[in-house]
C-alpha cells in the first residue's frame, strides 16, 4: 500500500521509467516516421500542450512578476550557457587521457553546450513546487538565446560549428512555446466555471506525463 502511494506521489518519475522501458522493448514505435509520429506529436503537440497548460494554470500577474527577476534570469542563463559548458570542458580534459572514444567526448561536449529542453525544465520545476513562471521564461529565452550562443560555444570548445536554420528554429519555438502560452492565458479569462477549469487541468496534467517523457526520450 505504501509502495502504491509512493508511486502515485512520484508519478512523473514512474512515467519516465515506464516510457524508457517501453522504448527499450519496442524502439521502432517512437522513431521518426513511426506509428507515434514523434516529429509531430512530440516536437510540436507535446511542447505546445505543456505550455498551454502552464498558461492556463498561471495567473498573468505571476508571469509578469517573473519577468522583473533580472538577477535570477542572468544567473540561470550564465550557469546554463557559460558555467556548465566550461565545467564539462574541464571534466572532458581529464577524460581525454583515458581510452574513451574521442567522438564520445565530443558528443558530451556538444550536449553540454545545448540550452535546456523547454518541456523538461518547466515540468520538473512544477513537480518540485518551484517558480514555474520563472522556469517558463528562462526555458523559452534560453532556447531562443541558444540559437546564437550554442554554435559559438561549439566553435570555442570543439573548433568547429555549422550553419543554423535560424528562421525555422525561431518559428518552431514561437509556435510551440509563445503562442500556446498566450492562448492558455486567454483561455483562463473565458473559462465557463472553476469546476470545468479544474477538471481540464487534471486532464492536461495526465497528458504532460506522456508528452514530457516521450519528448525527453526522443531528444
Amino acid at each position: 500500500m505504501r509502495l502504491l502511494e509512493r508511486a502515485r506521489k512520484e508519478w512523473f518519475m514512474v512515467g519516465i521509467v515506464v516510457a524508457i522501458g517501453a522504448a527499450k522493448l519496442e524502439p521502432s514505435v517512437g522513431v521518426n516516421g513511426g506509428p507515434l509520429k514523434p516529429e509531430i506529436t512530440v516536437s510540436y503537440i507535446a511542447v505546445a500542450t505543456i505550455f498551454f497548460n502552464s498558461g492556463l494554470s498561471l495567473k498573468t500577474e505571476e508571469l509578469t512578476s517573473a519577468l522583473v527577476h533580472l538577477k535570477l534570469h542572468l544567473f540561470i542563463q550564465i550557469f546554463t550557457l557559460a558555467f556548465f559548458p566550461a565545467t564539462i570542458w574541464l571534466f572532458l580534459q581529464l577524460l581525454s587521457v583515458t581510452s574513451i572514444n574521442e567522438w564520445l567526448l565530443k558528443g558530451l561536449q556538444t550536449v553540454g553546450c545545448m540550452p535546456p529542453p523547454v518541456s523538461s525544465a518547466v515540468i520538473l520545476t512544477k513537480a518540485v513546487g518551484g517558480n514555474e513562471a520563472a522556469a517558463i521564461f528562462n526555458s523559452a529565452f534560453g532556447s531562443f538565446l541558444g540559437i546564437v550562443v550554442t554554435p559559438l560555444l561549439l566553435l570555442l570548445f570543439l573548433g568547429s560549428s555549422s550553419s543554423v536554420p535560424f528562421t525555422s528554429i525561431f518559428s518552431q519555438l514561437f509556435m510551440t512555446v509563445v503562442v500556446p502560452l498566450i492562448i492558455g492565458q486567454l483561455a483562463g479569462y473565458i473559462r465557463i466555471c472553476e469546476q470545468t477549469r479544474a477538471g481540464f487541468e487534471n486532464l492536461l496534467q495526465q497528458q504532460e506525463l506522456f508528452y514530457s517523457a516521450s519528448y525527453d526520450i526522443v531528444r
Side-chain angles (χ1 to χ4, degrees):
M1 197 66 179
R2 290 182 178 179
L3 182 61
L4 182 60
E5 293 178 358
R6 182 70 177 180
R8 185 176 301 173
K9 182 179 180 181
E10 303 293 340
W11 62 269
F12 180 71
M13 297 305 299
V14 172
I16 290 179
V17 173
V18 171
I20 292 175
K24 177 66 175 179
L25 294 174
E26 196 61 46
S28 61
V29 175
V31 299
N32 285 347
L36 294 181
K37 300 293 182 183
E39 65 274 14
I40 299 176
T41 57
V42 175
S43 299
Y44 291 92
I45 299 176
V47 178
T49 300
I50 291 171
F51 279 89
F52 172 76
N53 185 30
S54 297
L56 183 65
S57 59
L58 286 174
K59 297 180 180 178
T60 304
E61 293 78 10
E62 294 176 316
L63 289 174
T64 54
S65 63
L67 296 178
V68 300
H69 296 165
L70 299 181
K71 292 183 178 179
L72 173 63
H73 305 325
L74 185 63
F75 170 79
I76 292 175
Q77 298 305 324
I78 291 177
F79 182 88
T80 303
L81 297 174
F83 176 79
F84 188 73
T87 302
I88 292 294
W89 181 83
L90 291 174
F91 179 66
L92 294 181
Q93 298 310 300
L94 299 176
L95 294 181
S96 63
V97 299
T98 66
S99 59
I100 298 178
N101 187 280
E102 177 187 0
W103 289 102
L104 177 59
L105 299 180
K106 289 183 177 181
L108 292 174
Q109 183 65 71
T110 301
V111 173
C113 294
M114 297 294 177
V118 290
S119 61
S120 298
V122 175
I123 294 298
L124 293 176
T125 301
K126 186 176 181 179
V128 298
N131 190 333
E132 184 181 356
I136 290 174
F137 174 81
N138 282 284
S139 61
F141 181 70
S143 296
F144 284 113
L145 195 62
I147 298 175
V148 177
V149 176
T150 294
L152 295 178
L153 290 174
L154 294 176
L155 182 62
L156 174 64
F157 291 116
L158 298 179
S160 62
S161 186
S162 60
S163 59
V164 178
F166 180 85
T167 303
S168 62
I169 295 177
F170 184 89
S171 61
Q172 179 181 352
L173 287 172
F174 184 80
M175 294 303 297
T176 58
V177 175
V178 179
V179 173
L181 187 66
I182 295 175
I183 294 176
Q185 285 284 289
L186 294 175
Y189 286 110
I190 60 176
R191 63 185 181 273
I192 299 175
C193 64
E194 289 294 332
Q195 184 176 4
T196 303
R197 181 193 182 198
F200 191 54
E201 287 179 358
N202 289 334
L203 176 61
L204 289 176
Q205 287 176 358
Q206 296 301 318
Q207 290 177 334
E208 284 181 0
L209 169 63
F210 172 77
Y211 285 144
S212 183
S214 300
Y215 182 74
D216 290 335
I217 292 171
V218 172
R219 282 179 64 90

